[in-house]
Amino acid sequence: MAVWFLLPLLLLAAVALLLLRRSRLRRQAPKLLGRTLFNLTTGDIVQHDGRDWVVEDRLLYDDDGFQWLEYLLRDGTDGRWLSVCEDDWLEVSWLEDAPAAELEGLTDDFPEHLRCRGQLYHRKETGRASVSAAARVMNRRLTGCRYGDYEGAEGRVLSLERWEEGDDPGPPELSLGRRIDPAAPLLLPGDGRSVYR
């Protein structure tokens, strides 16, 4: 008689332990969300131009409530910027840093026209933005910057940034690139860790 009483209790205890273990595993398992141009994080992979680029940082720019993202991508010693701006249209640009000495026509902060590497660029907009970084251990809240965005022929883009650091911020930071189809890069989830730090 005691066996019939203990057997259901043991079965009930086994089911309870199984359910408890499943709930713990669900809480511990990372949820891999599909990656979009708006939710990339450190360690994610961006496949573009036949290469795998690792997301190293995510910068959020804010110009009086208008926001856009720039991701710092690395493949070995090479770096690129993936710029994502959602305005009337989703604008995605693929940029790389270039020496500011290559600019022609930099007569004031953000002139109406600039020439670089033989290409003519026309100013699209300028402004001032606060910038915050997601992946940095220190200096997550960067100083603001003044920026100028320029467009050239055949989807070419040029970006100038003057960081607000002291009395003499030095030469502007220059990035050159082109607009790309937002569906062109393949976005893959990573493990959330930096490969290069």
Side-chain angles (χ1 to χ4, degrees), residues 32-76:
L32 295 177
L33 300 174
R35 293 300 186 245
T36 71
L37 292 168
F38 299 101
N39 69 357
L40 292 171
T41 61
T42 301
D44 287 347
I45 306 297
V46 176
Q47 291 181 335
H48 188 66
D49 283 344
R51 294 173 72 179
D52 290 345
W53 299 88
V54 179
V55 176
E56 282 297 302
D57 206 353
R58 176 183 189 264
L59 303 181
L60 175 64
Y61 289 72
D62 189 318
D63 184 351
D64 285 332
F66 183 80
Q67 297 180 333
W68 67 97
L69 294 166
E70 291 191 8
Y71 297 99
L72 173 60
L73 310 174
R74 298 266 312 268
D75 181 13

Side-chain angles (χ1 to χ4, degrees), residues 120 175 177 190:
L120 181 63
S175 299

